[in-house]
Amino acid sequence: MASELFQTPFLFSGVFDLPWWGVALVALGLTHVTIAAVTIFLHR
């Protein structure tokens, strides 16, 4: 069972298999949403 998990490309590429710039855009987008959510919460 464990050996099958390490042979699947899912662990290395995730669900969407994005290129490097796609990962960077997702990271920037999630960072933006997090900062906006914290700012809105603290200034309510």
Side-chain angles (χ1 to χ4, degrees):
M1 176 74 181
S3 63
E4 294 174 3
L5 290 175
F6 290 112
Q7 293 175 357
T8 59
F10 172 76
L11 291 177
F12 301 104
S13 62
V15 176
F16 297 109
D17 194 19
L18 296 173
W20 68 268
W21 53 267
V23 175
L25 284 178
V26 169
L28 287 173
L30 290 175
T31 302
H32 175 70
V33 168
T34 302
I35 292 172
V38 170
T39 301
I40 292 167
F41 176 75
L42 291 176
H43 290 87
R44 59 186 170 100

